[in-house]
């Protein structure tokens, strides 16, 4: 029995393609050239393996994001806000029909340029999921907050963040 689980987990040690997705992103306004940056993001996807337990299933999802970005003081400060809506239709191996869920997420961050290649910041994320796309039936709500450190070289960059859960329901 796995620690922290309510029962034994079946051995699902096998090879399989877990799914596929495509990402489309369109920049409406540039955060450098315009007063505020605005981009639209769309990611249709199809999955065949449940991430939580490895069970076979079918899942269709359509993730849509609104991405906002604002620069202040010649990009010394950068603020972002992202809003995500993701409807999902999932069906287990023995299920007759698809179950519908709606995930929503709001995330925001603020970063400060310490030196030419270094930034530090703070991020926050609020996630929730609704059963049967009913906004009155939240399955959970979680909030995460934490620091970030970012380094940018000429041809690559890396960001380290730690976002512990600070609140949640149930």
């Amino acid at each position: 029995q796995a620690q922290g689980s309510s029962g034994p987990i079946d051995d699902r040690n096998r090879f399989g393609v877990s799914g596929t997705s495509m990402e489309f992103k369109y920049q409406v306004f540039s955060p450098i050239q315009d007063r505020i940056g605005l981009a639209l993001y769309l990611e249709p996807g199809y999955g065949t393996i449940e991430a939580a337990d490895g069970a076979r299933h079918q899942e269709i999802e359509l993730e849509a994001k609104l991405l906002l970005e604002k620069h202040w003081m010649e990009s010394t400060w950068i603020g972002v806000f992202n809003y995500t809506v993701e409807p999902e239709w999932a069906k287990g191996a023995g299920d007759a029909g698809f179950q519908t869920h709606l995930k929503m997420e709001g995330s925001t961050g603020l970063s400060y340029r310490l030196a030419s290649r270094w930034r530090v910041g703070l991020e926050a994320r609020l996630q929730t999921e609704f059963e049967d796309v009913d906004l009155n039936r939240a399955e959970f709500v979680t909030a995460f907050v934490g620091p970030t450190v970012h380094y940018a070289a000429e041809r690559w960059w890396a960001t380290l963040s730690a976002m512990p859960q600070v609140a949640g329901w149930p």
Side-chain angles (χ1 to χ4, degrees):
Q1 179 170 332
Q3 187 177 19
S5 70
S6 60
I9 296 176
D10 294 335
D11 182 6
R12 302 207 192 264
N13 186 10
R14 63 177 178 253
F15 175 80
V17 175
S18 64
T20 185
S21 67
M22 293 187 303
E23 298 177 14
F24 302 95
K25 190 173 178 182
Y26 179 74
Q27 184 180 57
V28 180
F29 300 113
S30 166
I32 303 297
Q33 298 173 347
D34 299 304
R35 295 187 70 148
I36 192 165
L38 170 64
L40 305 174
Y41 174 98
L42 188 65
E43 180 184 345
Y46 176 74
T48 59
I49 297 175
E50 172 60 48
D53 64 4
R56 296 280 183 191
H57 78 151
Q58 292 182 50
E59 180 180 76
I60 300 165
E61 61 185 27
L62 184 62
E63 182 177 338
K65 292 183 184 185
L66 176 69
L67 311 169
L68 298 170
E69 183 174 334
K70 177 70 177 164
H71 293 225
W72 295 276
M73 299 171 53
E74 297 178 354
S75 298
T76 300
W77 290 94
I78 298 176
V80 297
F81 176 76
N82 301 330
Y83 182 70
T84 305
V85 175
E86 182 179 352
E88 293 180 342
W89 299 269
K91 180 170 88 166
D95 295 344
F98 282 88
Q99 292 182 334
T100 306
H101 293 270
L102 177 64
K103 292 180 181 178
M104 292 178 146
E105 177 178 299
S107 59
T108 189
L110 183 65
S111 73
Y112 175 76
R113 183 177 57 227
L114 286 176
S116 64
R117 297 183 183 270
W118 289 93
R119 301 188 79 80
V120 294
L122 186 67
E123 292 184 11
R125 177 175 292 151
L126 182 67
Q127 298 174 329
T128 189
E129 186 171 329
F130 300 94
E131 187 177 340
D132 296 325
V133 193
D134 183 348
L135 299 180
N136 293 315
R137 294 177 60 193
E139 292 183 26
F140 67 86
V141 177
T142 56
F144 305 87
V145 177
T148 64
V149 176
H150 177 81
Y151 178 81
E154 258 186 61
R155 296 183 173 258
W156 62 274
W157 55 266
T159 302
L160 175 66
S161 63
M163 294 197 35
Q165 182 176 343
V166 295
W169 169 87

